[in-house]
Amino acid sequence: MRHLTLLILFCILFACSESSKKLSFSSVRIETVFEDSVSIRVIEFLDKNTLAFAGSSGIYGTVDIPTGKIRSNIMKFHTVIPEFRSVAHTSNDFFMLSVGNPALLYKTGDNGRMNLVYIEEGDAVFYDAINFWNDREGVAVGDNTDGCLSIIITRDGGNTWNKLPCNVLPEFMEGEGAFAASNTNIKIIGDKTWIATTKRILYSMDKGETWTSFKTPVKTDETSEGIFSIDFYDENVGVAIGGDFAKPDGNLANKAITEDGGKTWQLLADGKEPGYKSCIRFVPNSGGNGLVAIGFTGISYSKDRGATWERLSKEGFYTIRFLNDSTAYAAGKNRIAKLSFR
């Protein structure tokens, strides 16, 4: 019995040491899996075997991860060819949302077709991101149209969407909007929701019923700068990144971290690389320490929760999603690629 007890203790200690082992990357291998003359700013894993994408020129489709097979189609709305920069999914359905006027939100329907479930027209209409709390409830955010940000919510699985009135949102800030750069303006954990605007973070603790806002130290002086992307490792630890896409080398006040659920933020690596990035993601199973930031300026990696960074590649992309703790897929101008971190 004593020997069995020692064996169990050894296994427990060994397992603990393995689970706490820190991931560390020094390089990335990039393999193109799809090429076309389109801009792709949005990808999402439907499951471990299927990557969905959508982009400019009305294109949308999937990548079969095991085989690399591509299935794609073109969406048209009368004479309009939409540009998609937001997609999301539930257990049952896939959604894609276009930017610009008119905003078109599609949901999977019968016989493999995409059904139009929401349309919004107006010169100022511009939607930036979409996400779901569960199979019934979801949210999308867009720029200012009627004196506040455009936030639409569904409570019936995406069949109908309703726009929140301005009086239920935090008071609008002059010049506030959002960037439709990578579909990472919205982060959801449980019932909690964080939305990154060009000026601040909007927060809801009850699936969009009530809202408040938090300030960040990220620079927002120019219309081309601000927060482009956020991610949270858990309900407390989150990061934000952006900068000025018109001055991509600038690295002052473009990265920040919170450890209290977004209430307060502190700058990261201020005045140091990386500069402008359009997407940031925590590395899975990294204990909240591993981060990858991506943009047309290249791929950067941090192993210490954003305190220091290393550029892994100069190859440019707009958005990234991790399949596991060492493999991700990224999309950008004219392509989707598999990224293998080592």
Side-chain angles (χ1 to χ4, degrees):
M1 181 64 70
R2 182 172 180 272
H3 289 160
L4 179 59
T5 302
L6 290 173
L7 179 61
I8 293 172
L9 286 172
F10 175 79
C11 291
I12 292 172
L13 291 171
F14 180 78
C16 289
S17 65
E18 284 295 294
S19 63
S20 62
K21 182 174 64 176
K22 290 184 178 179
L23 295 170
S24 183
F25 303 143
S26 59
S27 64
V28 60
R29 180 185 177 188
I30 301 172
E31 304 170 75
T32 298
V33 299
F34 172 71
E35 287 185 288
D36 201 344
S37 56
V38 293
S39 171
I40 301 174
R41 294 181 179 271
V42 54
I43 53 176
E44 291 290 343
F45 286 103
L46 303 183
D47 53 45
K48 65 179 181 180
N49 293 320
T50 309
L51 179 74
F53 66 90
S56 62
S57 302
I59 194 168
Y60 67 99
T62 59
V63 179
D64 184 74
I65 301 301
T67 66
K69 184 176 181 179
I70 306 296
R71 295 179 176 87
S72 64
N73 206 339
I74 300 294
M75 178 63 68
K76 296 181 180 179
F77 178 73
H78 301 312
T79 60
V80 175
I81 299 177
E83 177 179 356
F84 296 107
R85 297 196 188 182
S86 306
V87 300
H89 72 93
T90 63
S91 299
N92 304 310
D93 292 296
F94 173 64
F95 297 81
M96 54 189 192
L97 174 61
S98 71
V99 297
N101 178 24
L104 305 168
L105 176 52
Y106 290 91
K107 172 189 174 181
T108 48
D110 297 331
N111 302 318
R113 297 177 61 87
M114 299 295 293
N115 290 339
L116 183 64
V117 293
Y118 181 81
I119 181 170
E120 185 175 338
E121 297 178 296
D123 293 339
V125 169
F126 198 93
Y127 276 87
D128 306 285
I130 187 172
N131 208 333
F132 275 78
W133 292 288
N134 52 52
D135 284 350
R136 300 288 295 173
E137 299 170 293
V139 59
V141 63
D143 290 354
N144 167 41
T145 54
D146 299 310
C148 66
L149 289 177
S150 300
I151 295 183
I152 58 174
I153 289 180
T154 181
R155 305 287 185 189
D156 63 0
N159 293 313
T160 61
W161 296 76
N162 296 298
K163 196 170 187 178
L164 294 182
C166 291
N167 61 9
V168 305
L169 295 172
E171 185 176 351
F172 180 69
M173 298 179 68
E174 185 66 29
E176 187 174 25
F179 292 110
S182 60
N183 196 41
T184 51
N185 307 73
I186 305 172
K187 180 64 180 184
I188 288 174
I189 298 180
D191 293 346
K192 297 182 178 181
T193 311
W194 296 264
I195 294 179
T197 80
T198 55
K199 299 291 185 181
R200 56 185 170 172
I201 301 292
L202 300 187
Y203 172 72
S204 173
M205 63 180 297
D206 50 14
K207 294 186 291 187
E209 296 288 351
T210 61
W211 295 86
T212 186
S213 65
F214 302 133
K215 295 180 180 179
T216 81
V218 175
K219 280 183 62 180
T220 63
D221 299 333
E222 303 295 331
T223 57
S224 54
E225 72 178 347
I227 299 172
F228 280 71
S229 177
I230 57 171
D231 195 20
F232 276 73
Y233 193 79
D234 54 33
E235 292 185 354
N236 295 311
V237 179
V239 288
I241 201 164
D244 189 338
F245 69 81
K247 300 175 182 177
D249 292 333
N251 51 32
L252 290 173
N254 75 314
K255 307 172 285 291
I257 187 169
T258 178
E259 295 183 344
D260 58 9
K263 297 180 180 66
T264 61
W265 296 77
Q266 295 77 42
L267 290 175
L268 287 171
D270 194 25
K272 300 178 181 179
E273 293 300 316
Y276 166 77
K277 298 294 180 187
S278 57
C279 188
I280 190 167
R281 297 281 93 177
F282 279 102
V283 178
N285 303 321
S286 67
N289 295 306
L291 287 164
V292 171
I294 206 163
F296 65 76
T297 53
I299 303 169
S300 294
Y301 166 69
S302 173
K303 63 182 178 181
D304 53 14
R305 200 168 284 188
T308 61
W309 294 81
E310 177 185 0
R311 176 187 270 188
L312 298 184
S313 174
K314 294 182 179 180
E315 292 198 39
F317 295 93
Y318 299 140
T319 192
I320 182 173
R321 297 294 184 275
F322 275 90
L323 178 62
N324 53 48
D325 57 20
S326 58
T327 304
Y329 281 72
K333 184 178 181 181
N334 301 337
R335 64 171 174 164
I336 299 172
K338 177 183 178 181
L339 275 53
S340 301
F341 293 92
R342 294 174 289 187

